[in-house]
Amino acid sequence: MYPTRHLTLPALKQRTGRAVALAVLAAAALTGTGAADALALPATPPAAGSTATADSSTTATVTVTGGTAADADALREGAAAPAAATLRDRIAAAARGQIGVVESSSACQKYLTGKGQTCRNTSWCAAFAEWTWRHAGVKSVPTTLLGRGVGKWGQEHHLFHTGSPKPGDLVVYGPPAYEQGGHVGVVVSVNRDGTLDTVEGNVSNKVAHRHIDPRTAKGGVKKWKISGYVTPPGA
């Protein structure tokens, strides 16, 4: 492989076109790879710190690696995914970046907006799910602290559906209603075998990744099954 400095912009333009050539050089400079390696990189790399995403239209799981420790720390602190990412990509990246946050930490407090609320005295699964939408740039977001209430909000806004989830959707455990006892999380991957990867707040007092079968998965104090999903407005 030739080092990047030995492949000039004119040479790359001849091989790939100007736009791709510029992207190759930028990628090589940022990652320290040679230009030949950079040519194999995706045109729009996903957010650093992500682990797996999937496009439900293709059901292909994509493993994402790379990025610096600083990138991962920034995502954990709530840094946004790249602007070029889709809204659904940004939601999934926001959720994944919070995995491991415990309710006893100050990092958990950013999910809550009410005066005097803390993760220790509040059921915060809905607050976490809503935070991922707000952080990703969703304009209209539910504000309820009730997991089932998120489903009811979805019904009221004609965004609730019972099948075909996609990354960025909120998964609701329990029949939609402004009542306690349910649960809600964020879909981050839809897999070939029909299973889902979700990121959910207030699971064993932390933000946790779950790999679930949507037909049998349960959540909330009443162990409700999944009733459906809420699509982010604008997705």
Side-chain angles (χ1 to χ4, degrees):
M1 306 233 178
Y2 294 99
T4 305
R5 62 180 179 272
H6 289 164
L7 286 177
T8 64
L9 180 60
L12 284 170
K13 284 172 61 178
Q14 185 175 10
R15 292 171 55 185
T16 64
R18 178 179 175 80
V20 174
L22 290 172
V24 167
L25 290 176
L30 287 171
T31 62
T33 63
D37 292 329
L39 283 168
L41 294 176
T44 306
S50 297
T51 55
T53 59
D55 181 342
S56 62
S57 64
T58 62
T59 65
T61 300
V62 180
T63 300
V64 180
T65 59
T68 65
D71 292 334
D73 290 342
L75 190 57
R76 175 60 56 88
E77 291 303 314
T86 68
L87 179 61
R88 291 185 179 279
D89 291 337
R90 296 197 301 271
I91 294 169
R96 288 185 180 279
Q98 302 301 300
I99 293 173
V101 170
V102 297
E103 70 175 27
S104 59
S105 71
S106 60
C108 192
Q109 292 306 116
K110 64 177 173 286
Y111 311 140
L112 297 166
T113 58
K115 184 177 180 179
Q117 293 175 347
T118 71
C119 289
R120 285 184 168 181
N121 69 17
T122 305
S123 295
W124 52 277
C125 63
F128 166 73
E130 292 158 3
W131 175 88
T132 66
W133 275 17
R134 289 196 304 272
H135 187 70
V138 178
K139 301 303 182 183
S140 179
V141 177
T143 57
T144 177
L145 289 175
L146 301 172
R148 294 171 63 189
V150 173
K152 186 63 175 177
W153 180 92
Q155 285 184 331
E156 293 170 349
H157 290 76
H158 308 289
L159 297 169
F160 183 84
H161 54 102
T162 58
S164 302
K166 296 180 180 180
D169 285 351
L170 302 186
V171 52
V172 179
Y173 298 82
Y178 290 116
E179 297 180 14
Q180 297 180 345
H183 184 61
V184 64
V186 183
V187 178
V188 297
S189 176
V190 179
N191 305 309
R192 188 184 300 276
D193 61 1
T195 61
L196 305 176
D197 285 284
T198 64
V199 178
E200 303 175 10
N202 205 15
V203 175
S204 299
N205 300 325
K206 64 182 179 181
V207 178
H209 166 264
R210 296 182 69 192
H211 180 76
I212 63 172
D213 182 336
R215 298 168 298 180
T216 58
K218 297 179 181 180
V221 295
K222 293 187 176 180
K223 304 300 181 184
W224 287 106
K225 287 188 175 182
I226 293 172
S227 62
Y229 310 87
V230 181
T231 297

